[in-house]
């Protein structure tokens, strides 16, 4: 079992910034080959939404139109950690943010393409 631990959520005013982190761990992690790590978000009453993803080896990144130009996904291979730098935050960015990992180069959408998920971290942007 691979466990994903997210951190960095919180309350911020509109226009502010936050950086989320996600690191995998667990007994089977050492034998798990990471292909893609992604960030999703979900707000009450809405479906889970794709935010960004990164291919672990190549570093190729993908973004939803709603965050392109404001959010940046990156990874630190040595730390096995993925980050989501969120700038120019808007109230509509308020959601629980989840990181997820897949072991191959499947499409970044839909969520079922991912093998493991974190517990989520709340991001609240006040107007």
């Amino acid at each position: 079992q691979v466990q994903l631990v997210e951190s960095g959520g919180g309350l911020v005013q509109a226009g502010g910034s936050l950086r989320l982190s996600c690191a995998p761990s667990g007994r089977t992690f050492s034998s798990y080959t990471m292909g893609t790590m992604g960030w999703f978000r979900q707000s009450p009453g809405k479906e889970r939404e794709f935010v960004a993803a990164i291919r672990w080896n190549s570093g190729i990144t993908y973004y939803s139109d709603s965050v392109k130009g404001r959010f940046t996904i990156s990874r630190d291979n040595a730390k096995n950690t993925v980050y989501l730098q969120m700038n120019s935050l808007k109230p509509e960015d308020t959601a629980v943010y989840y990181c997820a990992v897949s072991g191959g180069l499947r499409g970044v959408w839909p969520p079922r393409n991912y093998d493991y998920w974190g517990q989520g971290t709340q991001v609240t942007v006040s107007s």
Side-chain angles (χ1 to χ4, degrees):
Q1 184 78 6
V2 174
Q3 297 158 344
L4 299 177
V5 180
E6 300 128 333
S7 60
L11 173 65
V12 64
Q13 288 188 332
S17 299
L18 284 174
R19 189 177 81 155
L20 305 183
S21 301
C22 175
S25 64
R27 291 182 180 180
T28 60
F29 172 66
S30 60
S31 62
Y32 182 82
T33 301
M34 293 198 293
T36 305
M37 289 197 78
W39 286 98
F40 291 76
R41 65 188 182 187
Q42 190 167 18
S43 48
K46 294 187 178 181
E47 293 187 353
R48 192 159 296 192
E49 175 190 9
F50 171 76
V51 175
I54 187 167
R55 301 296 190 190
W56 197 252
N57 286 335
S58 68
I60 295 173
T61 57
Y62 305 83
Y63 297 94
S64 69
D65 288 342
S66 62
V67 307
K68 198 174 296 182
R70 300 187 298 123
F71 291 11
T72 303
I73 188 171
S74 61
R75 92 273 196 227
D76 184 329
N77 295 64
K79 296 182 179 179
N80 290 317
T81 300
V82 66
Y83 304 97
L84 185 68
Q85 178 66 43
M86 305 186 294
N87 298 330
S88 302
L89 282 161
K90 304 174 181 179
E92 50 263 45
D93 294 319
T94 295
V96 177
Y97 283 70
Y98 299 89
C99 71
V101 64
S102 75
L105 298 179
R106 304 166 208 154
V108 298
W109 178 264
R112 66 173 179 270
N113 285 352
Y114 294 80
D115 301 316
Y116 300 101
W117 290 80
Q119 79 287 352
T121 185
Q122 177 70 46
V123 170
T124 303
V125 184
S126 63
S127 56

